[in-house]
Amino acid sequence: MKLRRVYTAIAAIPFALSMTASADSISDKVNADMPKLMVLYKDLHAHPELSGFEVNTAAKLAKRVKALGFDVTENVGGAGVVAVLKNGPGPVLMIRADMDGLPVIEQTGLDFASKVRATTEDGIESGVMHACGHDTHMTSWVGTAQALTAMKDKWSGTLVMILQPAEERGKGARDMLADGLYERFPKPDFALAFHDAASLPAGTIGYTPGFALANVDSVDVIVKGQGGHGAYPHTTKDPIVLASRIVGALQTLVSRETDPQDSAVVTVGSFHGGAKHNIISDQATLLLTVRSYSDETRQKLLDGIARIAKGEAIAAGIPEDLMPEVNIKDEYTPATFNTPEFTQKMAGLFTQRFGEKRVLETPAVMGGEDFGRFYRADKNIESLIFWVGGVRDDDWQNAKENGTSLPSLHSPYWAPKADSVISTATEALTAAALDIMAKK
């Protein structure tokens, strides 16, 4: 999942001095657990697993929450883990963390950097790295479970903590829901998650009411033609020229067919055709990423891609049996919607705890996160995913003052200030859970 950089007038915030609330049982517990949590984080970072293959990661963390007294079910929707702790009457709260790493060769220089290599489902051998920060998510998940089990006298309700596979492929949440997440286990009244951010100072919380992340579709357009010798183009139907026309026309889907106030993206990320200078191929392939917020805009974009591809082919005189193929890949990630009133309430809680300088309303982004599926499966659920900044103070200050480039999520150089991310996220999730499930 990628989060675009959002530079605001945020001063660097020294983590150790930024807490405005007095020390309490939550922060005391988190601080006491941090040394062992950092050992866990380094272990998870050094041993990432690709989407759909998170077997060892899931088993390792399932063992930890079993020891805390949770009723744990493994292999839900693949490598997914569901841990349930019933603690009297009250609401059902689900807290989610994702587990998968990325096919990225790590270049952070950390002494616990990943050296893992693996083969993707597409048959590509690569290094594997937690370049999106899911290792911080899992560590905070464990920290939150530990804190809440230690404070069972302060809350009443049912805690459902899930570890989700395959977020980077946009299908882990879907597969867990299809495997009976809401039928086999207590269905949540509330759902919480966080994501580390490469665009916020370490220890800063960002929240976005309403749409927070986008629909994401991957679309392949196979453009067909009639190949031949490059010296005799008049005897061919050149698919590269046709594909070029399609690329140009696709730009009008956003610039001329979408309301300027309705965000949308159609990007051609790959254009491949031909193998030699003097041969006109008979096929070219375009790979697109398509992003939107509303379901209506999403469908308009997808329909428009098919219409433009066919229309340009007809204009180029391509016969009916060689019309372009438009294939929408099975990697759809739906837009993530934070229920507004609940989001504002949690933002107020975070502000009271961490102070105004550390809690910021942030704009929606065109990145994708399949956490949104849990709300879409039942829109009675109150749902929030928030950001926790991971950019080190010096790096943030340099970027703000000197325009220094910061590594983004998915970068081989992304190394968040993990202790700030984990301690902030653990404390925020624990505080939110205690508020939601407070004893009456």
Side-chain angles (χ1 to χ4, degrees), residues 70 148 191 261 393:
F70 283 79
L148 289 172
Q261 298 182 74
D393 297 336

Side-chain angles (χ1 to χ4, degrees), residues 11 21 26 33 51 69 76 135 138 150 163 185 195 205 214 216 226 229 232 237 248 280 292 297 334 347 370 401 421:
I26 300 176
D33 286 351
S51 304
V76 179
D135 44 0
M138 292 182 282
L163 291 169
F185 308 98
H195 203 295
I205 291 175
V216 180
Q226 295 170 339
H229 199 296
Y232 314 110
K237 296 289 186 183
I280 293 174
S292 58
T297 299
D370 69 356
E401 294 177 359
V421 175

